[in-house]
């Protein structure tokens, strides 16, 4: 077959002159409407490059005749949004929990701000639903190491747990095995005893020995009955709620190596009204408790 363009008998269009295994390609022109749109985009792009920042130079792009910068526009919009919220922020900084709840407008602002701050800063560890993970507390229940009142939650967020803050909350779970205070058999005895006081089925043969070891090593923090001490951030061992797991193996690991989880302090990263909103949001998740006075020397919202 000739490699010269020919007129296709079916369509009446010319071919390109190319042929592959008996198949020829039509040389159909583009629709006029498509071409006009294509030409219009070329003209528009030229106009855009003249009017707007577009052509990259060594240090910056050409400014354009309109001198318009989207980054500056966004910054101006963010500043305007911040100014519009300033009134609520000031009110939130000075309001008590009851005052916030009594003001529907302020409450909506605080909850929206707190939910946003939680998603940006807390969900990575506590989960998007605040359900927690092993080593990261569930914020939906009523189990709190340091207290679940509005003020206590706010203070925990502010100073963190074992963080760099000078007022950080600090507690220590001794590594009884790693530091050589107890043998592995003794640790297993204590784990069986703890299982028994939390409502589980501990090994009855090990429980008496575990109780004696518990009395010598654990009572000062967890108490004689294992109820814990919120002033020290010491967990209750009787409620069947476990941060690192309550099975025998997990308890043995905790007793052997200790635990020292960290929560960052947010006072340097978040402003005061955002911390307040975040505390209100966490308090509202289902585990918030009735407010109680803060220890002397700490900030109060009331």
């Amino acid at each position: 077959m000739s490699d010269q363009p020919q007129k296709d008998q079916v369509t009446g269009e010319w071919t390109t002159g190319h042929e592959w295994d008996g198949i020829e390609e039509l040389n159909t022109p583009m629709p006029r409407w498509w071409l006009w749109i294509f030409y219009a985009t070329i003209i528009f792009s030229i106009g855009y490059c003249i009017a707007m920042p577009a052509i990259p130079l060594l240090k910056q792009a050409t400014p354009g005749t309109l001198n318009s910068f989207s980054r500056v526009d966004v910054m101006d919009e963010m500043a305007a949004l911040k100014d519009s919220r300033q009134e609520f922020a000031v009110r939130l900084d000075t309001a008590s929990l009851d005052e916030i709840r009594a003001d529907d407008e302020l409450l909506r602002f605080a909850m929206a701000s707190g939910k946003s701050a939680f998603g940006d800063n807390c969900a990575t560890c506590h989960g998007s639903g605040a359900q927690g993970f092993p080593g990261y507390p569930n914020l939906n229940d009523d189990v709190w190491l340091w207290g679940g009142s509005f003020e206590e939650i706010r203070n925990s967020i502010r100073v963190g747990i074992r963080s760099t803050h000078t007022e950080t909350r600090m507690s220590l779970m001794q590594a009884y095995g790693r530091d050589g205070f107890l043998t592995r058999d003794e640790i297993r005895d204590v784990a069986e005893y703890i299982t028994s006081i939390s409502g589980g089925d501990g090994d009855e043969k090990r429980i008496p020995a575990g109780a004696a070891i518990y009395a010598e090593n654990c009572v000062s923090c967890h108490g004689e009955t294992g109820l814990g001490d919120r002033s020290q951030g010491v967990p209750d061992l009787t409620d069947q709620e476990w941060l690192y797991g309550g099975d025998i193996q997990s308890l043995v690991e905790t007793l052997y190596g200790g635990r020292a989880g960290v929560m960052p302090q947010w006072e340097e990263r978040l402003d005061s009204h955002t911390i307040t909103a975040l505390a209100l949001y966490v308090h509202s998740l289902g585990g918030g408790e009735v407010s109680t006075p803060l220890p002397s020397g700490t900030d109060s919202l009331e």
Side-chain angles (χ1 to χ4, degrees):
M1 180 176 289
S2 172
D3 60 356
Q4 297 298 318
Q6 301 180 63
K7 203 164 192 178
D8 181 60
Q9 295 180 358
V10 177
T11 63
E13 300 288 348
W14 286 91
T15 68
T16 61
H18 302 150
E19 182 264 333
W20 296 271
D21 196 21
I23 300 174
E24 294 181 277
E25 180 183 9
L26 294 177
N27 191 17
T28 305
M30 298 296 295
R32 289 299 180 90
W33 64 266
W34 192 96
L35 288 174
W36 284 117
I37 291 176
F38 178 66
Y39 296 147
T41 59
I42 294 175
I43 296 172
F44 174 81
S45 65
I46 294 173
Y48 186 91
C49 289
I50 295 173
M52 302 293 289
I55 303 175
L57 302 176
L58 186 60
K59 293 185 177 180
Q60 63 181 12
T62 53
T65 58
L66 296 181
N67 198 31
S68 175
F69 294 90
S70 58
R71 180 176 297 179
V72 174
D73 294 341
V74 170
M75 292 177 63
D76 291 342
E77 291 176 4
M78 293 297 293
L81 180 62
K82 185 176 181 179
D83 290 341
S84 68
R85 294 176 174 176
Q86 191 60 33
E87 177 189 352
F88 290 105
V90 172
R91 290 165 58 190
L92 196 59
D93 273 339
T94 58
S96 68
L97 177 61
D98 291 338
E99 289 170 339
I100 295 172
R101 285 175 168 172
D103 188 330
D104 289 342
E105 194 175 28
L106 183 59
L107 179 62
R108 286 196 300 270
F109 169 79
M111 289 295 291
S113 179
K115 184 177 182 179
S116 176
F118 185 91
D120 290 342
N121 301 281
C122 313
T124 303
C125 293
H126 292 282
S128 59
Q131 74 277 9
F133 303 99
Y136 302 96
N138 178 5
L139 303 179
N140 294 296
D141 57 24
D142 58 355
V143 179
W144 300 91
L145 289 178
W146 297 93
S149 71
F150 176 53
E151 294 86 355
E152 288 164 335
I153 293 172
R154 182 180 185 274
N155 198 46
S156 291
I157 296 171
R158 185 177 70 87
V159 303
I161 311 297
R162 285 179 285 275
S163 72
T164 57
H165 198 286
T166 56
E167 301 174 31
T168 189
R169 290 180 148 165
M170 185 71 68
S171 62
L172 176 65
M173 170 63 195
Q174 184 68 55
Y176 287 98
R178 187 187 63 206
D179 294 342
F181 292 104
L182 298 175
T183 66
R184 287 190 176 275
D185 282 342
E186 289 173 328
I187 288 175
R188 180 58 184 264
D189 290 340
V190 177
E192 296 289 352
Y193 172 71
I194 293 173
T195 297
S196 71
I197 65 174
S198 66
D201 297 324
D203 188 336
E204 294 183 0
K205 295 181 180 179
R206 288 181 176 269
I207 289 175
I213 298 169
Y214 177 92
E216 293 176 2
N217 296 275
C218 312
V219 165
S220 59
C221 291
H222 291 280
E224 293 183 2
T225 58
L227 294 178
D229 182 0
R230 285 186 174 183
S231 67
Q232 303 179 69
V234 179
D236 184 345
L237 303 179
T238 68
D239 58 9
Q240 299 183 359
E241 297 289 340
W242 304 96
L243 186 56
Y244 293 93
D247 59 281
I248 289 294
Q249 183 60 38
S250 297
L251 292 175
V252 167
E253 290 176 2
T254 297
L255 290 163
Y256 184 89
R259 300 293 186 183
V262 173
M263 188 184 88
Q265 57 97 354
W266 295 97
E267 190 169 55
E268 294 180 357
R269 309 187 195 187
L270 302 176
D271 51 44
S272 58
H273 76 268
T274 301
I275 291 177
T276 300
L278 185 53
L280 181 70
Y281 175 73
V282 173
H283 186 269
S284 72
L285 289 175
E289 300 173 338
V290 177
S291 300
T292 55
L294 284 172
S296 59
T298 58
D299 292 341
S300 175
L301 297 176
E302 303 190 18

